[in-house]
Amino acid sequence: MRMPKLSRILATLAAATMASLGVVAVEASPALAITNVCYNISQAGPFGGYANQAASIWNAYTNNINMSQCGSNLMIYYTYGGGSYAVRYSLGNGYVVIDYYQAQQYSPLRIMTHEIGHILGLADNYNGNCALLMSGGSAGTGCTNPYPHYTEAAAVDSWFRSASPGAESTRVFSDSWPAAATAGAQR
């Protein structure tokens, strides 16, 4: 009888510690832990709605994460010129910057979902294939697909299930979204 009570106390302490760090594991089944990725759109300007849509897409396509507006593990910003990009501090933590001018040429939802993909551990894949979310702008301005390919979603699930060390280092992703000619900046 004493062991289950101790286990509950330890589980409660672990959950409280993780919550204070902004990461909460919720046991959905014996083999599945879901990590909350808390995002903040207070600085997203006109892209806040796209961030909410992108979070819904990632929630629908993955099993091990739950993205919600519950904190600031992931901050969403916007800028005028210079390019869209993501900076990942660790798996599920960092910030995304959406370039207003690029979002006039490329699908803003695709850009947002792609950039959040970096925060979730995915790297760029400049192969021009519109079916792959992480091909970014290399798929052209006509590509509006905001959905991760099943292999991309499976990779995110795998990293969040195992907390892969490969996705834990700080990394800046300057993407394949060519800067708009009107912005005057080339990347």
Side-chain angles (χ1 to χ4, degrees), residues 100-144:
Y100 180 86
Y101 297 121
Q102 286 177 342
Q104 291 179 332
Q105 292 184 323
Y106 295 89
S107 164
L109 181 57
R110 179 172 168 83
I111 295 171
M112 183 69 72
T113 310
H114 171 97
E115 297 303 342
I116 290 174
H118 290 310
I119 304 302
L120 301 178
L122 295 171
D124 287 310
N125 179 349
Y126 300 121
N127 67 1
N129 183 348
C130 185
L132 297 175
L133 178 64
M134 300 315 289
S135 69
S138 72
T141 57
C143 177
T144 60

Side-chain angles (χ1 to χ4, degrees), residues 167-184:
E168 288 299 320
S169 58
T170 298
R171 185 161 174 202
V172 177
F173 296 89
S174 295
D175 284 314
S176 64
W177 308 99
T182 59

Side-chain angles (χ1 to χ4, degrees), residues 4-187:
K5 184 176 181 181
L6 180 60
S7 295
R8 281 194 306 264
I9 291 170
L10 290 174
T12 301
L13 287 173
T17 302
M18 290 174 67
S20 71
L21 296 173
V23 179
V24 180
V26 178
E27 194 169 320
S29 70
L32 181 64
I34 298 175
T35 301
N36 282 332
V37 176
C38 297
Y39 67 96
N40 183 315
I41 61 169
S42 65
Q43 303 298 307
F47 300 103
Y50 293 111
N52 291 333
Q53 288 178 308
S56 293
I57 288 170
W58 281 110
N59 288 343
Y61 277 73
T62 58
N63 299 309
N64 293 341
I65 63 168
N66 176 52
M67 295 192 69
S68 61
Q69 288 190 63
C70 56
S72 57
N73 295 81
L74 169 56
M75 291 295 298
I76 310 293
Y77 301 102
Y78 75 105
T79 188
Y80 291 95
S84 298
Y85 61 94
V87 175
R88 183 181 66 222
Y89 300 127
S90 63
L91 194 59
N93 296 286
Y95 65 92
V96 164
V97 177
I98 304 299
D99 183 333
Y100 180 86
Y101 297 121
Q102 286 177 342
Q104 291 179 332
Q105 292 184 323
Y106 295 89
S107 164
L109 181 57
R110 179 172 168 83
I111 295 171
M112 183 69 72
T113 310
H114 171 97
E115 297 303 342
I116 290 174
H118 290 310
I119 304 302
L120 301 178
L122 295 171
D124 287 310
N125 179 349
Y126 300 121
N127 67 1
N129 183 348
C130 185
L132 297 175
L133 178 64
M134 300 315 289
S135 69
S138 72
T141 57
C143 177
T144 60
N145 171 32
Y147 304 105
H149 188 268
Y150 75 91
T151 57
E152 294 167 323
V156 168
D157 273 336
S158 173
W159 292 319
F160 276 86
R161 183 173 43 250
S162 67
S164 171
E168 288 299 320
S169 58
T170 298
R171 185 161 174 202
V172 177
F173 296 89
S174 295
D175 284 314
S176 64
W177 308 99
T182 59
Q186 296 296 321
R187 275 200 173 258

